[in-house]
Amino acid sequence: MSEAVEKARARHAVLREVIEEHSRLYYVKAEPVISDLEFDALLRELEELEERFPALRTPDSPTQRVGGAPIEGFETVRHRVPMLSIDNTYNADELREFDARVRRGLEGDAPAYVVELKLDGVAMSLRYVEGVLDRAVTRGDGVQGDDVTQNVRTIRSVPLRLRGEAPPRLEVRGEVYMTVRELERLNRIREDQGEAPYRNPRNTTAGTLKLKDPRQVAQRRLAICLYDLVPDAGVPPMFHHQALERLQAFGFPVNPHYERCTSIDEVIYICHQWRTKRHDLDYEIDGMVVKVDSPEHRARLGVTAKSPRWVIAYKFPAEVARTRLKAIQVQVGKSGAITPVAEMEPVKLAGTVVRRASLYNFEDLEKRDIRVGDTVEVQKAGEIIPQVLRHVPELRDPASLPFEIPAVCPACGAEVHKDPDGAFLRCLNLACPAQVKERLEHFASRKAMDIEGLGPAVVDQLFSKGLVKDPVDLYELEAAQLAALERMGEKSAANLVAALEASKARPLDRLLFGLNIRHVGRSTAEALAAAFGTMEALMAATTGQLMEVPDVGEVVAESIHDFFATPANRGLVARLAAHGLRMDAARPEANGGARPLAGKTFVVTGKLQRGSRDDIHARIKALGGKATSSISRKTDYLVAGENAGSKLAKAEELGVTVLTEEAFFAMIEDLE
Ligand code: IVH
């Protein structure tokens, strides 16, 4: 072997180990110690090395998470040890019956239990040969499943090689799932692209694992937690709590919320606690799993035809509420989409009071025959938007009539059109007052130009007085005109003028989002601003150049191109520029790229005086920190506004540092 090859091999081994360790710290432990930039630099060095010495590019290299070409189909493979299902219980009594059965089976010996969260995802079995990930198979019918190795490799927290000394063969099992935050991120992109949102994380996870293109899977950030170590040569049966520790030692993510109990009362207490605590998690659980800890006890208890006698699931009651549908409102969106919205008698559901819920579209409404006056069942899907599940036929008023689908736009009377793909109705009148007002409200909204004081009531008055019809008109308003509006007064008028002035400094992504370009939502706007830097460069881009931006496909690129090719839109942008609006992107990182908060995790809660939660999150991220929504031992700081509530109590319980809003700003303003 030449000296160069030898050196490359040695460097490759060091780099790979360092990258694997940082990946684990980032994705498994959520405790990164280096910045993303530093990590990317290491990965790039590894890639360059493999480019020069292709023999180093083995399948377990960190550069090889996402394979090349799409796959044809999934091979069906048999599980060496079947993946059994587990029995369900729904209340404390049934848990006590389980405990009694276990005690009888153990002839009076006292069992210890491990209680875990029941993650609501897709069960998966992973096989490692000589420490290297070899195969990932879905549960399927328990006897055989689909080989989805190429897709599972893209999950960042799945180790491609085990840490430490590996047995010749290892099989582990766990759950692949998606966080609620990730579902929301995907749905923002879908919304940008005019596609219907995914309804819940579990189905989205299942659908993602079935995609034939691993590159697409990699873009949806799935997660995994392991909960089972299958005994094998070199892996003797062990206590379950030890297996969970062993899994962690191998480098696998294990859900941290497990507890060992020595009585069924403790088990019941923990199960009940999680019925409410589940709402603090950023992923869905549908219950708890209770497992006998001792391998010897498990062996004595054995299995029935269907499931082991040493494990039971405790399922949470479904969070569905019944209420009366008072009205079906017909809404006209900023792009003319006409959609039904349910207005209901307020009802408590999963910790909040729900008054309005999504009915998707008229086709769906007609299919499910939902009528005003019906008693309906509502559910929170993925803890996000409440949805109307169904009407309760037994409780329907026999005199009720089907809802009449509008033939004309309720705002302007124009004839409605069906979208080519069928599901949505649309008003095509660009001058439709509902659309014009929606577009102005959108322009002024918090996530776009953030013009405080320019809400629906003010927009409505300005529009009906003929003072505004497009964003440029807003910047031509005078304080006296505003002060003359109802419920306004001089002080509020002056504030609004100041807010309009301040909005001129918003960076390019906010302006782009505010302009209401079809298929360009927040995330696409951010990606465009980051890629082009200035409005001028973006306006000059060809569709080909636009398609190089992440998440921008042909349809989106054409929409952007058409928007800027339209003279009226070019005129609008020129007039906005003439009013002094900023036309370039925000600097990518505060403080010249330094990341003083790298590795620090923040949770922001309560009512804040000095900025919205989104703004604070953005500032934390700009300084390299991480902002999450639920508190755990890994949280470094809780920023607590007024009425911080349960998160504050939890932070105190866990010993997380609590910052008042002032203390937080004092801290970051020093760093920015
Ligand atoms: S143990 C023989 N533990 O729930 C025991 N299952 O029917 C095997 N699940 O499809 C399962 N979280 O995918 C176990 N902490 C956990 C779990 C869990 C979720 C899923 C599993 C299985 C279903 C049980």
Side-chain angles (χ1 to χ4, degrees):
M1 206 187 307
S2 83
E3 203 179 317
V5 176
E6 189 116 26
K7 261 173 101 176
R9 192 175 292 282
R11 179 68 187 153
H12 187 273
V14 170
L15 275 172
R16 191 178 71 187
E17 211 154 290
V18 171
I19 290 171
E20 278 168 359
E21 184 57 13
H22 286 300
S23 273
R24 194 180 66 87
L25 289 170
Y26 188 96
Y27 292 106
V28 179
K29 303 200 63 138
E31 284 167 0
V33 296
I34 61 171
S35 72
D36 295 359
L37 277 180
E38 289 166 300
F39 182 85
D40 290 346
L42 290 170
L43 198 61
R44 215 166 27 246
E45 190 187 341
L46 192 71
E47 261 159 15
E48 280 164 12
L49 208 54
E50 292 179 357
E51 197 68 38
R52 283 193 288 137
F53 302 92
L56 298 177
R57 192 181 282 143
T58 52
D60 60 333
S61 164
T63 61
Q64 300 301 299
R65 281 216 175 256
V66 189
I71 30 200
E72 293 275 312
F74 303 110
E75 201 189 325
T76 307
V77 288
R78 229 181 142 75
H79 295 292
R80 189 177 62 86
V81 177
M83 290 179 80
L84 298 177
S85 62
I86 48 188
D87 266 352
N88 290 327
T89 58
Y90 297 89
N91 54 48
D93 285 348
E94 290 174 2
L95 281 172
R96 286 186 203 287
E97 284 165 22
F98 164 71
D99 181 53
R101 282 199 303 277
V102 167
R103 284 171 188 274
R104 273 201 303 278
L106 297 178
E107 295 165 323
D109 280 3
Y113 296 111
V114 175
V115 186
E116 296 170 6
L117 306 186
K118 188 166 185 305
L119 301 170
D120 199 6
V122 174
M124 189 67 62
S125 162
L126 307 178
R127 184 174 78 183
Y128 288 76
V129 175
E130 300 300 344
V132 177
L133 175 65
D134 174 60
R135 202 164 81 171
V137 183
T138 59
R139 175 170 182 275
D141 61 6
V143 175
Q144 49 184 25
D146 287 335
D147 180 338
V148 289
T149 314
Q150 294 311 319
N151 287 347
V152 169
R153 289 175 67 87
T154 71
I155 303 173
R156 296 284 171 164
S157 51
V158 168
L160 296 180
R161 105 189 342 259
L162 300 176
R163 285 176 87 215
E165 205 149 309
R169 204 166 61 171
L170 179 74
E171 185 176 342
V172 296
R173 290 167 178 181
E175 198 86 351
V176 177
Y177 63 99
M178 182 179 277
T179 62
V180 173
R181 174 194 280 254
E182 174 63 5
L183 184 80
E184 287 171 344
R185 187 186 73 85
L186 293 179
N187 277 344
R188 276 201 299 276
I189 297 173
R190 289 190 61 88
E191 200 185 314
D192 287 5
Q193 311 194 337
E195 290 172 87
Y198 295 123
R199 296 196 188 183
N200 68 58
R202 180 181 12 98
N203 293 355
T204 313
T205 301
T208 302
L209 286 167
K210 285 197 197 115
L211 291 172
K212 299 281 167 61
D213 184 352
R215 281 168 305 195
Q216 277 183 345
V217 181
Q219 284 171 9
R220 305 191 188 169
R221 300 162 199 163
L222 295 175
I224 193 170
C225 272
L226 284 300
Y227 50 66
D228 198 12
L229 192 61
V230 183
D232 202 337
V235 192
M238 60 186 99
F239 280 88
H240 186 60
H241 74 273
Q242 290 174 330
L244 295 176
E245 281 161 18
R246 200 61 203 281
L247 284 167
Q248 276 168 290
F250 279 132
F252 291 110
V254 168
N255 190 285
H257 304 291
Y258 66 85
E259 271 177 83
R260 188 168 177 275
C261 307
T262 45
S263 77
I264 197 69
D265 287 328
E266 253 179 286
V267 170
I268 292 168
Y269 176 75
I270 293 168
C271 289
H272 280 177
Q273 267 196 329
W274 277 103
R275 263 165 54 168
T276 43
K277 280 206 291 189
R278 63 191 288 210
H279 300 303
D280 294 340
L281 296 169
D282 187 34
Y283 44 86
E284 300 217 304
I285 58 175
D286 59 343
M288 306 292 290
V289 184
V290 183
K291 302 173 180 175
V292 169
D293 195 21
S294 151
E296 189 253 332
H297 286 176
R298 287 186 180 195
R300 278 163 67 191
L301 290 164
V303 296
T304 67
K306 223 171 91 266
S307 47
R309 290 201 190 87
W310 45 263
V311 58
I312 199 98
Y314 165 78
K315 297 268 273 205
F316 295 135
E319 303 230 37
V320 176
R322 281 188 181 186
T323 183
R324 205 180 72 88
L325 182 59
K326 286 200 300 189
I328 295 175
Q329 285 186 347
V330 179
Q331 271 188 349
V332 185
K334 55 190 165 47
S335 318
I338 302 179
T339 46
V341 176
E343 217 181 280
M344 304 162 307
E345 299 284 359
V347 61
K348 247 189 124 181
L349 180 63
T352 57
V353 175
V354 178
R355 294 183 171 79
R356 285 158 66 84
S358 164
L359 285 166
Y360 298 111
N361 55 49
F362 288 103
E363 201 174 65
D364 194 60
L365 180 81
E366 194 171 33
K367 211 161 54 205
R368 294 186 296 148
D369 186 23
I370 289 169
R371 304 177 181 187
V372 175
D374 275 351
T375 297
V376 290
E377 286 182 351
V378 276
Q379 184 181 39
K380 276 206 182 166
E383 313 297 335
I384 315 168
I385 332 148
Q387 345 179 307
V388 175
L389 281 180
R390 60 168 204 136
H391 72 266
V392 183
E394 312 85 85
L395 299 178
R396 167 169 281 173
D397 176 356
S400 73
L401 294 172
F403 188 75
E404 227 172 282
I405 297 179
V408 296
C409 168
C412 71
E415 197 185 321
V416 303
H417 289 258
K418 238 183 176 186
D419 264 4
D421 65 10
F424 286 93
L425 296 183
R426 212 173 274 282
C427 165
L428 298 181
N429 173 13
L430 280 180
C432 165
Q435 288 185 52
V436 173
K437 283 190 277 187
E438 285 279 343
R439 286 200 291 269
L440 286 166
E441 277 168 35
H442 171 76
F443 183 82
S445 66
R446 218 156 41 81
K447 290 177 177 160
M449 298 297 273
D450 194 14
I451 307 173
E452 209 179 322
L454 196 68
V458 177
V459 168
D460 194 52
Q461 289 191 64
L462 290 170
F463 178 79
S464 33
K465 283 193 175 1
L467 292 172
V468 294
K469 57 180 186 333
D470 69 30
V472 177
D473 297 335
L474 291 173
Y475 294 101
E476 290 174 357
L477 288 168
E478 282 165 17
Q481 290 173 308
L482 290 169
L485 300 180
E486 273 169 44
R487 288 192 298 276
M488 197 54 151
E490 269 174 31
K491 179 101 195 339
S492 322
N495 285 345
L496 182 48
V497 170
L500 279 160
E501 196 54 39
S503 75
K504 293 180 180 175
R506 304 275 179 257
L508 182 61
D509 60 305
R510 301 290 206 101
L511 177 61
L512 283 176
F513 178 50
L515 284 178
N516 195 26
I517 304 167
R518 188 128 190 236
H519 303 316
V520 178
R522 241 171 100 200
S523 29
T524 309
E526 278 168 18
L528 289 169
F532 292 97
T534 64
M535 182 70 95
E536 204 182 349
L538 175 64
M539 287 172 77
T542 60
T543 43
Q545 287 164 336
L546 288 165
M547 279 167 67
E548 283 168 25
V549 177
D551 296 326
V552 174
E554 200 174 335
V555 176
V556 184
E558 270 171 16
S559 163
I560 300 165
H561 189 262
D562 290 352
F563 182 91
F564 288 118
T566 307
N569 294 333
R570 299 184 78 89
L572 180 81
V573 171
R575 281 155 61 222
L576 288 172
H579 276 286
L581 270 75
R582 177 173 174 183
M583 296 279 160
D584 63 7
R587 274 183 302 148
E589 276 154 331
N591 202 14
R595 299 163 57 85
L597 297 183
K600 296 285 178 236
T601 302
F602 289 74
V603 172
V604 183
T605 190
K607 191 162 179 284
L608 303 155
Q609 306 296 332
R610 289 188 46 189
S612 70
R613 193 166 310 174
D614 275 354
D615 290 337
I616 293 181
H617 282 181
R619 286 170 81 167
I620 292 169
K621 284 188 204 147
L623 292 167
K626 208 168 126 191
T628 63
S629 57
S630 64
I631 297 230
S632 71
R633 276 174 225 288
K634 293 186 187 128
T635 312
D636 295 289
Y637 298 99
L638 174 78
V639 182
E642 257 176 69
N643 301 329
S646 68
K647 289 196 180 158
L648 181 56
K650 186 152 180 205
E652 280 163 357
E653 184 190 316
L654 294 176
V656 171
T657 308
V658 177
L659 298 173
T660 59
E661 194 176 351
E662 293 87 293
F664 168 75
F665 277 104
M667 170 172 147
I668 64 159
E669 275 159 11
D670 262 357
L671 298 172
E672 278 174 343

